[in-house]
Amino acid sequence: MAEYSSLLADSVLRHKAWFAEHTARIETQLASTVKSEFIANMSHELRTPLNTVIGFAKLLGEHQKRALADAEVVEYADLIRDAATHLLAVINDILDMSKMQSGKYTLDAGEVELDEILQAALASFRPTAVEVGITLGGQIDRHLPMVKGDPAKLRQVFTNLIGNALKFTPPGGSVTIEAGTGAGGGATVRVRDTGLGMTGEEIAVALTPFGQVDASRSRWREGTGLGLPIAKALVQLHGGRLEIRSAKTLGTEVTVVLPQGSEVSDVHRRAAPRDAAHHGAP
Ligand SMILES: Nc1ncnc2c1ncn2[C@@H]1O[C@H](COP(=O)(O)OP(=O)(O)OP(=O)(O)O)[C@@H](O)[C@H]1O
Ligand SMILES: [Mg+2]
């Protein structure tokens, strides 16, 4: 009997060891697949605008031979500037993403006037909303609870959320920003739209770096798919949470909850001024 139980124990241990090794191997393979996908996406995102820059710079270089009209020269220069600006934004996002993943991201923590941030974000999007025919409204409580955090990063979060709501809502729709005090005493901000909406699976894609629900459209000018995962990570660094509720064709509601006077953790608080200035607002 003793011999039998010892054999059984050996076999259980062997099985456990095999299982641990097997799981570790799968995890390594998965990490390497995710990494290669990340690099493939990143190369694509960098190459597309770079090709635009090279192509139009070449055309401009040949302006005499091609007898380009003044208007064409201006148009090509604008396209180059657009592509380069986009490229810079993508590079900044990729750097932010990789810093967050390696835990080296720092916040320049201070006291945040959330209502000012939201009002400013609303005001900056008003001309776009008018241009694309979307009603943009805000119900922002003047007495929002004080939040501790990094104003530039919180601005980045809401700029992306409002930008997304406008981008993925057809003309005639509406985008509303509501902000008030949540049940737990913190601030709750909702960005709601009447746009394309997403299924549960699509929400998961949207939260993955470079994930775009409709990747078929040629829309490098419209973004890279890094905004939402960065926004979620930034909210979490503030001790808060970001949740998405959405229904296909009906619209999307993104809720950000920030705890009252939330203490940014010590690790993230250590922002050296030079470092903090380095990753500025979008
Ligand atoms: N309000 C929304 N309604 C419908 N789809 C959305 C909404 N917000 C995000 N999505 C989907 O999620 C994807 C990822 O959003 P995310 O903000 O990360 O990227 P992006 O806006 O495409 O680019 P950027 O990096 O410039 O933000 C979008 O491409 C879109 O497909
Ligand atoms: Mg976005």
Side-chain angles (χ1 to χ4, degrees), residues 160 164 167-168 227-228:
N160 181 59
N164 281 354
K167 222 159 37 169
F168 303 107
L228 213 44

Side-chain angles (χ1 to χ4, degrees), residues 86 89-90 93 159-169 175 191-198 202-203 205-215 217 219-231 244-248 251-254:
H86 175 80
V90 174
D93 278 355
T159 300
N160 181 59
L161 297 183
I162 302 171
N164 281 354
L166 288 172
K167 222 159 37 169
F168 303 107
T169 298
V175 170
V191 179
R192 194 176 299 142
D193 66 60
T194 57
L196 306 180
M198 292 176 274
E202 288 171 345
I203 293 176
V205 170
L207 287 168
T208 319
F210 296 112
Q212 293 187 311
V213 171
D214 179 9
R217 285 161 66 193
R219 13 170 268 196
W220 63 265
R221 277 149 182 271
E222 293 180 35
T224 41
L226 284 170
L228 213 44
I230 289 180
I244 303 177
R245 280 180 49 216
S246 190
K248 207 69 185 161
T252 301
E253 180 182 273
V254 183

Side-chain angles (χ1 to χ4, degrees), residues 1-276:
M1 186 66 186
E3 201 178 319
Y4 174 73
S5 65
S6 142
L7 275 175
L8 192 65
D10 271 2
S11 142
V12 168
L13 281 178
R14 264 204 308 279
H15 182 74
K16 266 192 176 166
W18 173 86
F19 188 72
E21 193 204 324
H22 185 69
T23 313
R25 201 165 349 114
I26 290 180
E27 272 172 8
T28 314
Q29 277 166 2
L30 206 63
S32 124
T33 313
V34 169
K35 213 167 162 185
S36 337
E37 250 174 51
F38 185 85
I39 290 171
N41 281 323
M42 190 175 83
S43 320
H44 172 78
E45 294 301 336
L46 298 180
R47 273 205 193 108
T48 318
L50 262 179
N51 281 331
T52 304
V53 170
I54 294 168
F56 285 104
K58 188 164 175 277
L59 283 181
L60 283 180
E62 296 166 356
H63 75 102
Q64 278 176 326
K65 191 172 86 191
R66 293 178 177 272
L68 294 182
D70 279 358
E72 283 175 299
V73 171
V74 172
E75 188 195 338
Y76 297 167
D78 281 351
L79 287 169
I80 291 175
R81 199 196 43 229
D82 274 9
T85 308
H86 175 80
L87 196 57
L88 184 63
V90 174
I91 291 170
N92 284 338
D93 278 355
I94 291 172
L95 287 177
D96 279 358
M97 201 71 225
S98 91
K99 273 191 191 150
M100 284 181 199
Q101 280 170 350
S102 62
K104 288 190 186 139
Y105 198 81
T106 50
L107 292 177
D108 192 10
E111 295 197 351
V112 180
E113 302 279 359
L114 204 52
D115 59 334
E116 277 180 19
I117 289 183
L118 294 171
Q119 293 292 6
L122 261 176
S124 73
F125 277 109
R126 267 215 174 99
T128 314
V130 171
E131 199 181 312
V132 293
I134 293 174
T135 312
L136 176 62
Q139 290 151 27
I140 298 162
D141 187 347
R142 277 175 182 276
H143 306 288
L144 281 179
M146 198 273 295
V147 171
K148 266 205 179 135
D150 186 329
K153 302 303 167 207
L154 290 174
R155 208 172 297 130
Q156 182 177 351
V157 168
F158 295 111
T159 300
N160 181 59
L161 297 183
I162 302 171
N164 281 354
L166 288 172
K167 222 159 37 169
F168 303 107
T169 298
S174 66
V175 170
T176 317
I177 290 90
E178 268 175 30
T181 305
T188 300
V189 184
R190 290 202 169 86
V191 179
R192 194 176 299 142
D193 66 60
T194 57
L196 306 180
M198 292 176 274
T199 63
E201 275 174 20
E202 288 171 345
I203 293 176
V205 170
L207 287 168
T208 319
F210 296 112
Q212 293 187 311
V213 171
D214 179 9
S216 61
R217 285 161 66 193
S218 155
R219 13 170 268 196
W220 63 265
R221 277 149 182 271
E222 293 180 35
T224 41
L226 284 170
L228 213 44
I230 289 180
K232 182 165 179 159
L234 284 175
V235 170
Q236 285 171 341
L237 280 179
H238 281 83
R241 57 178 208 277
L242 181 152
E243 282 158 12
I244 303 177
R245 280 180 49 216
S246 190
K248 207 69 185 161
T249 73
L250 292 179
T252 301
E253 180 182 273
V254 183
T255 306
V256 171
V257 177
L258 292 164
Q260 188 176 25
S262 70
E263 280 292 331
V264 173
S265 78
D266 284 346
V267 181
H268 303 303
R269 194 192 249 279
R270 271 187 289 122
R274 189 170 49 83
D275 203 23

